[in-house]
Amino acid sequence: MSLERKDEHDHGAWLAEKELSLIEKTYLMSLIWLDKRFRIVDYLELLEDMYYKINLQMPKSHTEQYNLDNKFWYWYPLYALGSFSVIAYLVAAVSGALLGFYYAPATGTDGDPIAYETIVAIMKDLNFGFMLRSIHRWAAQVMVAAVFLHMLRVYFTGAYKEPREVNWIIGVILLSLTMLFGYTGYLLPWNQLAFWAGQIGVEMSLAVPIVGEWTAQLLFGGFSLGQPTLQRMYILHVFVLPFVVTALIAIHIGIVWMQGIAEPH
Amino acid sequence: MSENESNEPRTDGSGPGIVAPDDEVPTWRERKERTTGLSRVTYEYFERARREDQDLRQESSYVERDVLGFPTWPHETIRNIALASFFTGMLLFLSAMLPPHLGDVANPAETPEVILPDWYLYWSFGLLHLDPINPELAIVGGEKIMSDELYGVLANVVVVGVIAILPFLNKGSARRPVEEPFWAALGVGGVVFAFTMSILPIQEMFPWEVAITFDLAFFLPIIAAAITYAVLKTMREGYMYDLNRRYYRLRPPR
């Protein structure tokens, strides 16, 4: 027995005296290596906390607690419309990002507009391109439909009432922005539908006194349609609206989380 | 230890560096109470709110059980994943079965016979066709005070605005349409109005007079609302009896 005090923290010796399989030994050695550098042990509490959070018991809903299911189960699909809008939004975001790789928002000088030609190329030449555009378009259509129906569900079940006014107003803004998303989106192919819808948009903004001309300049890049219009619609569709709408959806869902779902009684 | 006990102030960074609170040192509560102005009223309100919350919890007869429902994992998670996958699958199926149409290339020289936006903007586009009811004022010699286009834009603003302020008009804890026939009727009228407005842009295409379509666009929502109101009023009595009985059996009035 030596007089020298043993190092209690000699992990190597501790590892050597244990009989471990190869997998266990490799695992422990890498764990010790990482822990020496990043002190994982300090974050164990966080991990533990996370573990218990994901293993929470969901509280029984009002309808389950008071056994009202016999009256209400057939309404339940309508209570999923909000999440369906979010799922459709995510599908549209992913397919839209892929479409953005191949689309160019340009009208060009002669011949067919470049925007139109790129979409023709996506649909005819690109592998899976036809399906990609189809997915994007249907996701958009379904999202708008789901948002409308979601609003009707909220209205007819009285879920918008005090104390949920703020979320209703955010919802109305989100509905308007969803339609704006759709509008800026279907202007992008620069086909007949797009052009004349844009024409209506310009006429609408020009009809407003005082700020009308300024709005037309800002949103449509002039009083007649052309390259500036297309480019602005593109930036609105792929840059401005995604950020705004995503942030608003996060707030909207966060408020639902805080206030709880307004269940029927 | 003996060094630390000396009361001499030291500036070399050693020592605990924390002064033990004595009687002179205000607590955080006292500090907050001594504030003035906005922070003072904020503090007072939050104190009131906390007390209110505490009182309501103590008075409440709501029984909290230890285990209230399903575990998040796996029950809730698997159910949510199943619903999300089903919905996404439905979306992909739809895309494969009904591919979109890419119309003719934009041509400023050729106005299409029917100009229509995507379906979800039909109601809004319809509101731009309200020129027959744009009022003419006698004081300006029978001229319209605003252009038909502006009138249509304002109609859009009004519709969205009315929808936005609904929660400030209708309050209370009623949840079901039968409990509030008026608001349910308003909702049904609104939905029908959205559909009838959608046919205004193509009102010339019907084989009868344009005026008939235009009038119907306003009468049909009113008729639908009236029918809804009558039906719900009739249902109401028996239904509310059942509802109240169950409600008060579950939570007897104190």
Side-chain angles (χ1 to χ4, degrees):
Chain A
M1 200 187 207
S2 74
L3 287 175
E4 203 177 327
R5 202 162 153 247
K6 262 192 186 162
D7 182 6
E8 281 181 54
H9 308 296
D10 187 357
H11 302 303
W14 173 72
L15 202 59
E17 81 186 17
K18 284 180 88 77
E19 279 188 20
L20 297 169
S21 68
L22 185 65
I23 294 175
E24 286 170 328
K25 194 183 266 176
T26 319
Y27 165 72
L28 258 184
M29 275 168 70
S30 30
L31 186 68
I32 290 168
W33 192 89
L34 283 172
D35 189 51
K36 269 192 184 147
R37 280 147 188 88
F38 302 115
R39 266 342 233 172
I40 296 168
V41 69
D42 289 347
Y43 303 95
L44 278 186
E45 207 174 312
L46 284 180
L47 288 177
E48 202 179 8
D49 195 49
M50 251 158 63
Y51 173 82
Y52 286 112
K53 281 228 168 72
I54 56 175
N55 284 288
L56 267 181
Q57 299 270 321
M58 294 295 281
K60 264 190 182 169
S61 70
H62 183 94
T63 37
E64 283 164 342
Q65 183 135 351
Y66 293 101
N67 201 18
L68 301 176
D69 274 9
N70 54 348
K71 275 281 178 209
F72 281 107
W73 64 267
Y74 43 79
W75 292 114
Y76 284 1
L78 298 183
Y79 283 74
L81 285 166
S83 12
F84 283 171
S85 330
V86 174
I87 295 168
Y89 181 61
L90 292 177
V91 172
V94 172
S95 56
L98 292 173
L99 282 175
F101 293 158
Y102 304 100
Y103 171 81
T107 51
T109 44
D110 44 27
D112 281 352
I114 295 168
Y116 189 86
E117 279 176 351
T118 52
I119 288 185
V120 169
I122 286 171
M123 290 171 73
K124 285 187 177 165
D125 305 336
L126 184 67
N127 278 338
F128 204 61
F130 207 115
M131 183 65 179
L132 198 59
R133 175 161 185 258
S134 189
I135 290 172
H136 189 68
R137 182 157 168 84
W138 274 110
Q141 306 276 319
V142 167
M143 181 186 168
V144 179
V147 170
F148 268 110
L149 293 175
H150 176 59
M151 185 183 80
L152 290 185
R153 195 284 287 171
V154 168
Y155 179 81
F156 285 109
T157 56
Y160 60 90
K161 288 181 180 178
E162 194 183 352
R164 296 185 172 82
E165 299 98 330
V166 174
N167 228 12
W168 172 262
I169 291 172
I170 293 178
V172 171
I173 295 171
L174 270 174
L175 175 66
S176 318
L177 288 181
T178 308
M179 289 188 293
L180 196 62
F181 232 134
Y183 179 77
T184 53
Y186 74 72
L187 249 67
L188 294 184
W190 215 241
N191 51 17
Q192 279 289 69
L193 175 74
F195 187 87
W196 294 99
Q199 193 64 40
I200 293 163
V202 172
E203 280 167 19
M204 270 176 83
S205 48
L206 283 180
V208 180
I210 304 168
V211 294
E213 296 189 0
W214 181 79
T215 314
Q217 293 274 13
L218 182 74
L219 289 181
F220 297 96
F223 303 148
S224 61
L225 301 178
Q227 172 65 30
T229 319
L230 188 54
Q231 205 157 348
R232 273 152 214 251
M233 289 300 136
Y234 181 68
I235 290 299
L236 282 177
H237 191 77
V238 305
F239 181 73
V240 180
L241 283 175
F243 281 106
V244 176
V245 170
T246 308
L248 277 178
I249 288 176
I251 295 171
H252 195 69
I253 294 172
I255 291 177
V256 171
W257 195 347
M258 279 170 62
Q259 297 189 322
I261 292 168
E263 291 194 79
H265 55 67
Chain B
M1 274 296 159
S2 58
E3 307 166 339
N4 288 348
E5 277 167 31
S6 68
N7 280 330
E8 302 231 339
R10 291 165 356 152
T11 53
D12 60 354
S14 65
I18 295 165
V19 183
D22 56 19
D23 296 343
E24 304 283 311
V25 179
T27 61
W28 282 109
R29 166 181 273 267
E30 283 165 346
R31 278 175 215 229
K32 279 186 191 160
E33 278 167 354
R34 279 185 211 165
T35 54
T36 52
L38 288 183
S39 43
R40 169 76 194 176
V41 284
T42 311
Y43 164 75
E44 277 179 17
Y45 169 70
F46 278 145
E47 281 297 304
R48 287 181 61 84
R50 198 177 306 147
R51 214 175 310 128
E52 182 195 13
D53 204 54
Q54 196 180 334
D55 291 348
L56 286 175
R57 272 166 204 272
Q58 277 165 359
E59 280 172 26
S60 166
S61 61
Y62 184 84
V63 187
E64 284 191 35
R65 283 185 259 157
D66 287 342
V67 175
L68 285 169
F70 298 127
T72 314
W73 174 263
H75 300 64
E76 283 285 326
T77 317
I78 285 180
R79 194 186 67 173
N80 291 352
I81 289 172
L83 278 172
S85 315
F86 175 75
F87 182 72
T88 315
M90 207 182 72
L91 215 65
L92 297 182
F93 178 75
L94 207 56
S95 320
M97 288 297 111
L98 300 166
H101 170 68
L102 181 64
D104 292 335
V105 68
N107 184 0
E110 182 204 332
T111 313
E113 273 183 33
V114 183
I115 300 180
L116 280 179
D118 243 1
W119 59 269
Y120 46 82
L121 290 173
Y122 283 173
W123 63 273
S124 169
F125 192 51
L127 287 174
L128 299 177
H129 290 75
L130 292 179
D131 27 300
I133 55 165
N134 188 357
E136 297 159 6
L137 287 191
I139 45 172
V140 284
E143 282 177 32
K144 293 177 175 181
I145 45 169
M146 60 179 105
S147 66
D148 292 337
E149 288 87 4
L150 177 59
Y151 191 74
V153 174
L154 281 184
N156 272 284
V157 174
V158 167
V159 166
V160 177
V162 167
I163 294 172
I165 61 166
L166 275 177
F168 302 100
L169 304 177
N170 183 16
K171 291 173 180 287
S173 61
R175 286 269 180 267
R176 299 183 186 200
V178 262
E179 292 177 79
E180 288 182 325
F182 171 77
W183 289 97
L186 193 75
V188 170
V191 173
V192 176
F193 184 67
F195 280 99
T196 55
M197 279 302 106
S198 303
I199 57 163
L200 280 194
I202 51 164
Q203 55 189 329
E204 284 91 4
M205 295 186 161
F206 295 97
W208 51 79
E209 271 184 68
V210 176
I212 295 176
T213 321
F214 194 82
D215 291 346
L216 271 182
F218 291 91
F219 281 126
L220 279 182
I222 295 172
I223 293 167
I227 291 173
T228 314
Y229 187 79
V231 168
L232 289 179
K233 266 287 195 197
T234 317
M235 285 171 64
R236 194 179 146 105
E237 207 167 313
Y239 201 82
M240 286 304 283
Y241 174 74
D242 267 359
L243 201 65
N244 284 335
R245 199 178 52 169
R246 181 166 51 202
Y247 187 84
Y248 288 115
R249 199 169 54 214
L250 291 165
R251 272 158 291 178
R254 269 175 287 147

